[in-house]
Amino acid sequence: MKKFIGIVGTNSDHSTNRQLLQFMKNHFSSKAEIEIVEIKDIPVFNKPENKDIPEIVQAMADKIDDADGVIISTPEYDHAVTASLMNALSWLSYGIFPFVDKPVMITGASYGTLGSSRAQLHLRQILDAPELKARIMPSSEFLLSHSLQAFDEENNLTNVEQTEKLDRLFEDFLTFVTITNQLTHAHEQNKKEAENFSWETI
């Protein structure tokens, strides 16, 4: 059984993106183990010269390293991901590089009609950065709009079509992970390039 890390892309205590990951954890429990990880207690990134990584960040990096893949569920603020998610990714690409070649599935929930579409595009750009180098599942968007009304009292999605779409995307992700985890020939070189990259020397 595959093991995934589900990252809640917000520091909000009441988030429908957390609900979505909780739904996925339960709904797909027969196909994969999904451990939900929070970013709300990560300190503000301050680029320490000694590159000391906060314990909470190192623990998250270790979980990502050990996982078969990562699912990130992001809301959308001002056409972008949250500051707290950018903060977490800044730490996770500073002296540690758990995302290099790691399969990633992006989902998103929003109160409005667009379902975090711009934030998902933004997140794809970030994860493609030289210090992250994640492998993002292509041509896949799960956009949960009107998310405040999307779940019932038992935290199940009420829209059958949305559930069916998520089912198909998750099956694709399982296949994507299997294929991606065989593409290891350049992994050490990719990780070395991430470690040696510096915007200051371009």
Side-chain angles (χ1 to χ4, degrees), residues 21-202:
L21 287 174
Q22 290 168 341
F23 168 75
M24 293 176 69
K25 176 179 179 176
N26 295 328
H27 187 66
F28 298 120
S29 60
S30 64
K31 299 179 179 180
E33 177 187 344
I34 301 175
E35 179 182 353
I36 298 175
V37 173
E38 301 282 352
I39 62 173
K40 57 185 177 180
D41 294 325
I42 294 178
V44 175
F45 180 67
N46 61 356
K47 198 176 181 180
E49 291 185 8
N50 58 10
K51 292 198 174 181
D52 280 350
I53 305 298
E55 185 176 337
I56 187 175
V57 176
Q58 186 62 61
M60 186 181 298
D62 292 342
K63 289 178 185 291
I64 294 170
D65 271 330
D66 293 339
D68 296 297
V70 177
I71 304 167
I72 303 177
S73 194
T74 179
E76 181 173 314
Y77 294 170
D78 299 328
H79 292 182
V81 300
T82 63
S84 55
L85 180 54
M86 289 192 67
N87 180 64
L89 293 173
S90 293
W91 277 118
L92 290 165
S93 58
Y94 189 64
I96 50 175
F97 306 94
F99 275 103
V100 172
D101 295 328
K102 185 66 63 173
V104 176
M105 176 182 182
I106 299 174
T107 65
S110 73
Y111 298 167
T113 59
L114 297 178
S116 79
S117 59
R118 293 182 179 90
Q120 291 196 32
L121 177 61
H122 184 215
L123 182 54
R124 286 177 181 274
Q125 293 174 323
I126 295 171
L127 290 171
D128 198 39
E131 307 96 319
L132 285 160
K133 286 184 176 287
R135 296 188 187 271
I136 310 108
M137 187 166 73
S139 303
S140 62
E141 285 185 321
F142 184 72
L143 308 171
L144 185 63
S145 59
H146 304 293
S147 57
L148 285 174
Q149 295 82 38
F151 300 93
D152 63 20
E153 294 181 356
E154 297 178 347
N155 203 49
N156 293 312
L157 287 174
T158 58
N159 187 299
V160 175
E161 290 184 1
Q162 288 276 32
T163 304
E164 290 176 347
K165 179 176 182 180
L166 185 58
D167 287 342
R168 291 191 291 270
L169 286 174
F170 194 77
E171 288 293 338
D172 284 347
F173 186 55
L174 291 173
T175 302
F176 178 71
V177 168
T178 299
I179 294 172
T180 300
N181 284 338
Q182 297 176 31
L183 305 177
T184 59
H185 299 89
H187 177 68
E188 290 305 318
Q189 182 64 31
N190 290 340
K191 191 168 184 179
K192 184 178 179 180
E193 288 177 359
E195 291 172 349
N196 293 334
F197 182 84
S198 173
W199 290 102
E200 297 172 2
T201 58
I202 291 179

